[in-house]
Amino acid sequence: MRYCSRILAFDCSIHFQWLGGIRVNTRKKATFKYHLTSFTFYGTSLVLYSLFFAIPAVLGFLYSFTSWNGISSEIHFVGLQNYKEVFTDRRFYNSIWNTLVITFIQVFFFNFVALLLAVFLEKSKIPQIKRVLRGLYFFPYIISYVIVAVIWNYMLNYREGVINIILEKIGLGFLAVDWLGSPSLVIFTMAGINIWAFIGFYLVIYMAALQTIPSSLYESSYIDGAGAFQAFRHITFPLVAPAFTVNAIISVAWGLNTFEPALILTQGGPGFASETISYYIYWAGFLGSRQGYGTAISFVLFLAILLISFVQVKLLRKREVEY
């Protein structure tokens, strides 16, 4: 009897050890499968990022120290000559000025005007009007910029453009000008087209931020005698500060990278009146066959955007509040 009990205990111990081994092996297989799946997703993204961003960035940085024309197999090292030329190039400074003007105008509209429009839409008492206007504002953003540029190029044509024809029909023909051919107006025209095309993106971000503000805060402020301006100043603006920070950084970065309108609408003209930094990089690298010099300009632009974004984050984060 005692012998049988020992055999039974031994058999049970072996059985439990076998089950434990199955559990350990199953756990190891599950862990391995998890890591394999994670590596598949992460590894694919890492490979694509390296091929299309990291490696070209490193090669571009190396090319900025050469006089490579972008086609020839001969690459000559010139050291810091390209970077020295950048800071003595008058055309480079002209492109900086044009870019800063466009950026300043767009940042104002993309942040302050978009915020006021978002507040107006959120305060609307008729939901149908809110949905329609929100869709109308956002619709240009989903259209390809090439289509946007073609449409506005036709509308702004000096002789056959719809805008000048309408101005003449209503007796304001003296306001009909060459919107894309005037050196003094072309920058503002390009900025206006960008505002029309992209303000819906910033508007949606502000509307999402406004919807997170508790209505009880406004009700309490109105009970205390605060008006609409005081409520906006002390409640709305502080609580949408995180969205303001995001929009400010994005709008500045997009403004400094303005390229499509200069390429599609004006090709940097008339003269160099609408040439932006990004278009000048394109012109120097591809049209001017100076890939090394164009790459040097692009890295100067990259460092400028990085520095400006860092300063923006440090300054704007201080205004953000939590509730």
Side-chain angles (χ1 to χ4, degrees):
M1 195 70 181
R2 186 181 302 172
Y3 177 74
C4 293
S5 63
R6 289 180 179 178
I7 293 176
L8 180 62
F10 179 74
D11 184 52
C12 291
S13 64
I14 293 176
H15 180 68
F16 285 123
Q17 289 178 3
W18 181 70
L19 290 177
I22 292 178
R23 291 176 182 175
V24 170
N25 291 333
T26 304
R27 191 177 304 157
K28 288 182 178 180
K29 289 181 179 179
T31 303
F32 175 76
K33 186 180 294 185
Y34 171 78
H35 288 300
L36 180 62
T37 304
S38 301
F39 179 77
T40 302
F41 285 102
Y42 299 152
T44 304
S45 301
L46 181 62
V47 170
L48 292 176
Y49 181 82
S50 299
L51 288 176
F52 294 101
F53 292 96
I55 295 177
V58 173
L59 292 177
F61 180 71
L62 297 177
Y63 286 141
S64 67
F65 298 100
T66 69
S67 60
W68 185 45
N69 61 6
I71 300 176
S72 175
S73 59
E74 296 182 1
I75 302 176
H76 301 286
F77 180 77
V78 295
L80 296 175
Q81 183 61 38
N82 288 330
Y83 289 94
K84 293 179 181 178
E85 184 178 351
V86 168
F87 294 103
T88 58
D89 188 352
R90 295 181 59 184
R91 187 170 171 181
F92 171 73
Y93 287 108
N94 176 72
S95 65
I96 288 180
W97 172 252
N98 294 335
T99 305
L100 290 178
V101 171
I102 292 178
T103 302
F104 179 80
I105 297 173
Q106 293 181 177
V107 167
F108 175 77
F109 277 89
F110 288 155
N111 290 277
F112 297 102
V113 177
L115 177 58
L116 294 177
L117 287 175
V119 172
F120 170 75
L121 291 178
E122 283 298 313
K123 298 298 182 182
S124 177
K125 302 297 184 180
I126 305 177
Q128 292 79 3
I129 295 180
K130 181 191 299 187
R131 287 194 293 267
V132 171
L133 291 178
R134 183 169 53 190
L136 289 176
Y137 282 123
F138 190 75
F139 179 73
Y141 176 73
I142 65 177
I143 303 176
S144 171
Y145 195 87
V146 175
I147 299 176
V148 171
V150 171
I151 293 173
W152 277 101
N153 189 33
Y154 170 73
M155 294 176 62
L156 295 171
N157 186 275
Y158 178 64
R159 298 183 181 276
E160 301 175 353
V162 176
I163 294 178
N164 284 346
I165 291 176
I166 292 176
L167 290 174
E168 292 177 357
K169 293 295 184 181
I170 63 177
L172 298 176
F174 62 93
L175 295 178
V177 295
D178 191 356
W179 301 98
L180 294 174
S182 173
S184 59
L185 289 177
V186 63
I187 285 294
F188 302 98
T189 303
M190 290 168 53
I193 295 173
N194 285 346
I195 292 168
W196 179 86
F198 300 125
I199 196 171
F201 171 81
Y202 301 91
L203 179 69
V204 169
I205 293 178
Y206 278 130
M207 292 187 69
L210 289 172
Q211 292 173 2
T212 63
I213 301 176
S215 58
S216 58
L217 295 178
Y218 293 106
E219 295 172 359
S220 301
S221 66
Y222 295 147
I223 292 174
D224 293 337
F229 178 75
Q230 286 82 6
F232 176 82
R233 178 183 177 185
H234 297 289
I235 298 177
T236 303
F237 190 74
L239 293 181
V240 299
F244 185 87
T245 301
V246 172
N247 281 350
I249 294 173
I250 294 176
S251 59
V252 170
W254 279 10
L256 295 177
N257 281 291
T258 300
F259 174 70
E260 291 89 348
L263 174 67
I264 302 172
L265 294 172
T266 64
Q267 292 78 50
F272 305 117
S274 64
E275 188 173 66
T276 62
I277 298 178
S278 295
Y279 183 81
Y280 187 37
I281 293 172
Y282 162 77
W283 185 93
F286 294 95
L287 302 183
S289 298
R290 299 189 63 190
Q291 194 67 235
Y293 182 61
T295 308
I297 301 175
S298 67
F299 273 94
V300 172
L301 176 61
F302 166 75
L303 292 177
I305 294 176
L306 185 65
L307 178 61
I308 293 173
S309 300
F310 176 79
V311 173
Q312 280 184 292
V313 171
K314 287 296 183 181
L315 295 178
L316 296 176
R317 285 292 184 188
K318 297 179 181 179
R319 298 187 56 89
E320 297 182 9
V321 297
E322 296 181 357
Y323 60 90

